[in-house]
């Protein structure tokens, strides 16, 4: 990409802002062992998928009546989770603000989950100019809808934006939106995500 001034930095939440993916692996590992014992390791295959996508693919049909139970468990789990920032994130976003770059979270998480985040991290909202959740867009990643809406929120063009993602669906979403995509190798190996992004980093200290 030709060098140009970036006007907006758009961040996924889990695995990008917060190092929460290992905790979700624990949660989904328990659910998968209970309801899909015939599919060991399923919790790794569903990484980066939305709850609707997980339910449609793995908890429909005979298991559809378990969705309410799993959702209740998940809501309780998210209230208890630790929300630790990925290494270097706070310093990096402060640098962006000092240079006049707009910042937004663009996440498939819903507002109840975000309320848990706000409770655990009181200063979280002050780090961003906008926070977009699943309620703010019609189609989930890998569709580009969420990132295009974030660009519209700031009144900028897609090629004025950089996306920070860790999941395959998220990386595909950013690329489909026509944005510069930085992949964080926090959830998947660097070599696995490299084909879906413009550059790969292990955390924010190398940017």
């Amino acid at each position: 990409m030709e060098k140009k001034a970036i006007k907006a930095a758009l961040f996924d939440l889990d695995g990008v802002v917060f190092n929460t993916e290992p905790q979700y692996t624990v949660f989904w590992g328990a659910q998968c062992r209970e309801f899909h014992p015939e599919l060991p390791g399923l919790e790794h295959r569903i990484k980066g998928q939305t709850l609707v996508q997980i339910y449609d693919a793995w908890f429909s049909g005979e298991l559809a009546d378990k969705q309410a139970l799993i959702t209740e468990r998940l809501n309780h789990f998210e209230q208890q989770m630790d929300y630790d920032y990925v290494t270097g994130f706070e310093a990096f976003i402060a640098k962006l603000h000092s240079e006049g770059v707009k910042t937004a979270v663009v996440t498939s998480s819903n507002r109840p989950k975000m309320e848990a985040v706000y409770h655990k991290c009181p200063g979280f909202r002050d780090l961003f100019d906008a926070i977009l959740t699943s309620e703010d867009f019609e189609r989930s990643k890998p569709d580009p809808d969420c990132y295009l809406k974030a660009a519209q929120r700031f009144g900028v063009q897609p090629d004025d934006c950089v996306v920070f993602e860790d999941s395959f669906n998220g990386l595909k979403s950013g690329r489909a939106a026509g944005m510069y995509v930085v992949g964080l190798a926090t959830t998947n190996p660097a070599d696995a995500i490299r084909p879906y992004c413009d550059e790969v980093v292990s955390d924010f200290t190398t940017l």
Side-chain angles (χ1 to χ4, degrees), residues 178-190:
M179 300 176 179
Y180 191 83
V181 179
V182 177
L184 276 88
T186 52
T187 303
N188 299 289

Side-chain angles (χ1 to χ4, degrees), residues 50-62:
T50 66
L51 190 58
V52 171
Q53 290 168 337
I54 293 171
Y55 283 166
D56 286 348
W58 306 106
F59 296 91
S60 57
E62 295 181 356

Side-chain angles (χ1 to χ4, degrees), residues 7-8 102 148-158 160-161:
K7 297 179 181 178
K102 294 291 187 180
L148 293 175
K149 279 188 168 57
Q152 292 170 3
R153 178 78 63 90
F154 291 140
V156 300
Q157 296 301 310
D160 291 324
C161 303

Side-chain angles (χ1 to χ4, degrees), residues 14-15 18-34 39-49 54 59 74 77-78 81-82 113 166-167 186-188:
D14 295 295
F18 292 125
N19 187 29
T20 47
E21 285 300 333
Q23 296 175 79
Y24 278 114
T25 299
V26 171
F27 174 82
W28 284 111
Q31 309 313 307
C32 293
R33 284 189 294 275
E34 179 176 348
L39 296 172
L42 178 60
E43 64 270 23
H44 299 291
R45 295 168 59 184
I46 64 178
K47 281 182 180 293
Q49 297 182 17
I54 293 171
F59 296 91
L74 179 60
F77 184 82
E78 289 177 336
M81 282 174 58
D82 294 321
K113 153 76 175 292
D166 65 313
S167 71
T186 52
T187 303
N188 299 289

Side-chain angles (χ1 to χ4, degrees), residues 100-118:
V101 178
K102 294 291 187 180
T103 60
V105 166
V106 182
T107 177
S108 298
S109 298
N110 57 23
R111 287 172 187 159
K113 153 76 175 292
M114 297 310 297
E115 289 301 324
V117 171
Y118 303 150

